[in-house]
Amino acid sequence: MTAITSNLQAVNHVIAQAAHIAHRRQESIELLAVSKGFSAAAVCEAYQAGQRAFGESYIQEALDKIELLRDLPLQWHFIGPVQSNKTRAIATHFAWVHSVDRLKIAERLSTQRPTSLPPLNVCIQVNVSGEGSKSGVAPDGLVELAQAVSSLPQLKLCGLMAIPAPAEGLEAQRIPFFKLRALMEQINMQGLALDTLSMGMSHDLSAAILEGATIVRVGTAIFGERNYGENQ
Ligand SMILES: *Cc1c(COP(=O)(O)O)cnc(C)c1O
């Protein structure tokens, strides 16, 4: 068994345990394998171990892998900051975008989504820990943004995403995830029907699952340490 295969088994086991504690079905939590910084060969290994959904943050790196692996039935999710000049490539080559944080970007993604494809699934990224992370819409502006994004024809607004500031310990980690879930409930009370909470990474996925995560985005615990920083 390769390291990636056994890491995937271990991560799926952590998901199963957290789901059990939370009285949730394991199938209600999707594992997104974050392959940024790793090769197409690593993605292929994870595929052979049963993984289908992969997350990427840097568009050129992602397009190279998507092209190399085009014969495999993989689902690609864009999870990095979205720049205006990259929206067309993202709208064309991905099934999901987790990191929409302003209307202009959402409008471009909707306009540029090929009509031959189903609507692009999107999450709005929310800044739930204030200074901690630079990206994401502030909670104040969220309801308005969600309403505008949900009316765009070629997008399907599915839910919310957050990358909280790192915290130690389960209880501290749960706080921002609880906030994100509360924000989704607040939006749904305004008439929307969001059902996706993209939250939890290698170090805090259990806390996220206890607070209702439906997609956990896990890189390091599957593929190992990346040898570049988050801002490349
Ligand atoms: C890199 C990244 C991840 C994965 O982080 P790990 O700590 O390696 O699990 C998850 N989400 C986003 C948005 C990322 O950029």
Side-chain angles (χ1 to χ4, degrees), residues 128 162-164 172-182 197-201 204-209 211-212:
V128 279
I163 312 173
Q173 289 175 353
R174 287 177 71 156
I175 295 168
F177 297 138
F178 170 84
K179 284 189 196 161
L180 196 68
R181 174 157 55 98
L197 287 170
S198 168
M199 57 189 198
M201 310 185 0
D204 57 11
L205 75 141
S206 295
I209 290 168
E211 293 299 343

Side-chain angles (χ1 to χ4, degrees), residues 26-91:
Q26 186 176 354
E27 306 76 64
S28 67
I29 301 143
E30 184 187 3
L31 173 58
L32 180 65
V34 177
S35 46
K36 67 177 185 220
F38 289 90
S39 65
V43 172
C44 196
E45 240 176 274
Y47 166 76
Q48 279 158 355
Q51 181 64 32
R52 292 293 176 271
F54 292 87
E56 291 283 339
S57 298
Y58 307 106
I59 188 66
Q60 194 51 54
E61 180 195 338
L63 293 180
D64 292 345
K65 272 178 246 184
I66 292 170
E67 170 63 17
L68 280 166
L69 298 168
R70 65 180 181 276
D71 293 334
L72 298 181
L74 306 180
Q75 189 185 55
W76 293 98
H77 295 228
F78 193 81
I79 61 174
V82 183
Q83 294 157 353
S84 294
N85 61 346
K86 303 292 163 51
T87 50
R88 185 176 299 280
I90 293 171

Side-chain angles (χ1 to χ4, degrees), residues 34 36 57 79 161 163 201-202 217-220 226 230:
V34 177
K36 67 177 185 220
S57 298
I79 61 174
M161 181 273 232
I163 312 173
M201 310 185 0
S202 295
R217 309 177 311 268
V218 180
T220 312
R226 291 177 290 276
E230 300 298 308

Side-chain angles (χ1 to χ4, degrees), residues 121-132:
N121 297 302
V122 302
C123 292
I124 293 177
Q125 183 174 350
V126 187
N127 185 349
V128 279
S129 27
E131 13 38 271

Side-chain angles (χ1 to χ4, degrees), residues 165-198:
E168 289 307 319
L170 195 66
E171 291 313 312
Q173 289 175 353
R174 287 177 71 156
I175 295 168
F177 297 138
F178 170 84
K179 284 189 196 161
L180 196 68
R181 174 157 55 98
L183 287 168
M184 185 169 81
E185 284 163 8
Q186 198 184 321
I187 291 172
N188 285 343
M189 283 192 292
Q190 307 293 315
L192 298 187
L194 308 189
D195 62 8
T196 302
L197 287 170
S198 168

